[in-house]
């Protein structure tokens, strides 16, 4: 099918299992920014861990060596790994919400354990 305004092919929508895997990869990589510079190391570590799990899932789907477990399995496994690695830093949105609730800045940016994404 052609897009008449640009004469470029209209991209086809990927099937549901592939869309679900791509959504899980986006969830892995699209984590919220930390509220302070002091949380930057925790943010980088969380992103590094999550990116590694996403890379492994993509590699397992793309490698054609007869050992694939399928896109659905890889997607579920990726989501399980992501759930095991929640962020441990305070996000910008969490700090803003705490400030709106009347907390001080120091209280707002104090990690409470596993509350980010």
């Amino acid at each position: 099918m052609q897009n008449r305004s640009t004469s470029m092919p209209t991209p086809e929508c990927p099937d549901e299992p592939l869309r679900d895997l791509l959504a899980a990869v986006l969830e892995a990589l699209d984590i919220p920014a930390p509220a302070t510079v002091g949380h930057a190391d925790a943010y980088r570590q969380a992103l590094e861990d999550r990116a590694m799990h996403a890379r492994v899932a993509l590699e397992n789907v793309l490698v054609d060596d007869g050992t694939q477990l399928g896109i659905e399995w890889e997607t579920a496994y990726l989501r399980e790994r992501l759930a095991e690695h929640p962020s441990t830093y305070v996000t910008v949105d969490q700090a803003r919400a705490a400030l709106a609730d009347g907390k001080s800045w120091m209280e707002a940016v104090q990690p409470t354990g596993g509350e980010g994404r």
Side-chain angles (χ1 to χ4, degrees):
M1 176 182 286
Q2 294 284 321
N3 181 326
R4 295 176 192 195
S5 64
T6 62
S7 57
M8 302 225 1
T10 301
E12 293 194 27
C13 187
D15 63 359
E16 194 59 35
L18 179 56
R19 287 181 57 83
D20 198 30
L21 174 62
L22 293 173
V25 169
L26 181 59
E27 290 169 24
L29 303 176
D30 186 28
I31 62 174
T36 69
V37 174
H39 297 151
D41 287 340
Y43 170 81
R44 279 192 294 276
Q45 186 62 55
L47 186 57
E48 184 178 303
D49 292 344
R50 295 167 73 89
M52 184 261 313
H53 289 298
R55 185 198 60 77
V56 168
L58 291 172
E59 181 178 28
N60 289 344
V61 168
L62 294 173
V63 170
D64 189 12
D65 65 359
T67 63
Q68 297 85 352
L69 296 170
I71 290 177
E72 293 91 348
W73 189 93
E74 292 295 343
T75 301
Y77 188 76
L78 173 56
R79 287 204 165 109
E80 289 171 11
R81 298 297 71 76
L82 297 178
E84 291 174 356
H85 299 285
S87 63
T88 58
Y89 59 90
V90 177
T91 68
V92 171
D93 290 342
Q94 290 169 334
R96 285 182 182 151
L99 290 171
D101 287 343
K103 292 188 177 178
S104 71
W105 176 251
M106 292 302 291
E107 293 170 324
V109 299
Q110 182 64 38
T112 58
E115 284 186 4
R117 275 205 312 200

